[in-house]
């Protein structure tokens, strides 16, 4: 009976997260993507690549390393000293974006974007949430995207203060999503624990 209750909580929590993620993308589209584009992406950010491979990762270290699915290990060397947007440039998840905070490193399957002067990096991250990377894919077996191509695309980029205002509102929703995902993990761990006790 308790397992069924937890299953219901997991299902409900998953739906809440899904709805909030949909809301985040919808608001980002309304506030950014549907506005008149006025600035090329390569005028907003600087791109950097990496040659780091999974075989170089450590189980612990001072700097987190990110791959296409998020945190994947650690390194003794940082490739970025502060926040960056990490865009998956190879494989099935091509065009997926994640926001990395603080000093970090990243695998060669990703491209790092950092802000140019007068640009608020979290704003660009939200601008890229609904960006159509698909139109810049090349390769049949393994799709790729290159910054030299999609960097020429134009997005809506208002004044710095307006960028901060828009991004700050969206960040509050994302913080709630993150909190709800942590709660979902707790429910899942609780279910795993109960199931393991049933077979002792």
């Amino acid at each position: 009976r308790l397992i069924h209750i937890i299953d219901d909580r997991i299902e409900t929590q998953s739906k809440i997260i899904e709805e909030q993620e949909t809301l985040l993308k919808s608001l980002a589209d309304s506030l950014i993507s549907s506005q008149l584009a006025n600035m090329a992406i390569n005028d907003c950010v600087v791109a950097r690549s990496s040659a780091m491979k999974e075989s170089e990762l450590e189980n612990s270290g001072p700097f987190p390393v990110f791959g296409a699915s998020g945190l994947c290990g650690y390194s003794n060397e940082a490739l970025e000293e502060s926040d960056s947007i990490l865009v998956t440039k190879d494989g099935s998840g091509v065009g997926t974006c994640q926001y990395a905070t603080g000093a970090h490193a990243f695998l060669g399957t990703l491209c790092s974007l950092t802000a140019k002067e007068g640009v608020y990096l979290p704003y660009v991250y939200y601008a890229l949430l609904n960006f159509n990377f698909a139109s810049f894919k090349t390769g049949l077996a393994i799709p790729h995207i290159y910054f030299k191509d999609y960097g020429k695309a134009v997005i809506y980029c208002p004044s710095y203060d307006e960028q901060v205002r828009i991004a700050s509102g969206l960040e509050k929703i994302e913080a709630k999503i993150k909190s709800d995902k942590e709660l979902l993990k707790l429910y899942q761990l609780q279910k795993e624990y109960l199931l393991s006790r049933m077979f002792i």
Side-chain angles (χ1 to χ4, degrees), residues 4 38 50 52 60 93 102-103 148 151 168 177-178 186:
H4 292 308
N38 61 350
S50 165
M52 183 173 284
S60 62
K148 66 180 179 64
S168 296
I177 292 172
K178 185 177 180 180
L186 290 176

Side-chain angles (χ1 to χ4, degrees), residues 2-19:
L2 186 55
I3 293 289
H4 292 308
I5 292 173
I6 295 174
D7 275 337
D8 288 343
R9 286 180 178 176
I10 289 173
E11 185 179 349
T12 300
Q13 192 68 13
S14 297
K15 286 180 180 177
I16 289 171
I17 292 168
E18 187 178 328
E19 288 171 0

Side-chain angles (χ1 to χ4, degrees), residues 48-57 65-72 79 85-98 105-113 133 142-147 150:
R48 181 174 180 175
S49 59
S50 165
M52 183 173 284
K53 301 174 183 176
E54 285 191 44
S55 58
E56 300 173 37
L57 299 180
V65 180
F66 294 91
S69 57
L71 179 66
C72 58
L79 295 178
I85 301 166
L86 299 174
V87 182
T88 303
K89 62 179 185 177
D90 301 304
S92 59
V94 67
T96 303
C97 297
Q98 53 186 310
F106 54 98
L107 296 181
T109 53
L110 306 180
C111 173
S112 168
L113 307 179
F133 285 102
I142 302 176
H144 304 270
I145 53 170
Y146 298 98
F147 183 76
Y150 70 82

Side-chain angles (χ1 to χ4, degrees), residues 60-193:
S60 62
F63 304 109
V65 180
F66 294 91
S69 57
L71 179 66
C72 58
Y74 295 88
S75 172
N76 292 319
E77 180 183 355
L79 295 178
E80 294 291 0
E81 296 300 325
S82 58
D83 296 10
S84 80
I85 301 166
L86 299 174
V87 182
T88 303
K89 62 179 185 177
D90 301 304
S92 59
V94 67
T96 303
C97 297
Q98 53 186 310
Y99 194 93
T101 57
H104 59 277
F106 54 98
L107 296 181
T109 53
L110 306 180
C111 173
S112 168
L113 307 179
T114 54
K116 288 188 174 181
E117 186 176 352
V119 175
Y120 186 57
L121 190 64
Y123 174 85
V124 180
Y125 167 71
Y126 292 117
L128 295 179
L129 274 186
N130 294 307
F131 184 75
N132 183 21
F133 285 102
S135 60
F136 297 94
K137 284 183 185 178
T138 61
L140 296 174
I142 302 176
H144 304 270
I145 53 170
Y146 298 98
F147 183 76
K148 66 180 179 64
D149 297 325
Y150 70 82
K152 297 173 185 175
V154 182
I155 61 172
Y156 172 60
C157 193
S159 68
Y160 185 83
D161 288 345
E162 182 66 5
Q163 291 174 45
V164 173
R165 187 188 71 79
I166 291 172
S168 296
L170 296 174
E171 282 174 317
K172 289 176 183 175
I173 298 172
E174 189 145 44
K176 182 69 168 62
I177 292 172
K178 185 177 180 180
S179 173
D180 283 337
K181 283 184 175 179
E182 291 299 322
L183 183 57
L184 177 60
K185 283 181 185 177
L186 290 176
Y187 288 149
Q188 291 168 335
L189 287 172
Q190 190 177 29
K191 179 182 176 180
E192 287 175 15
Y193 173 77

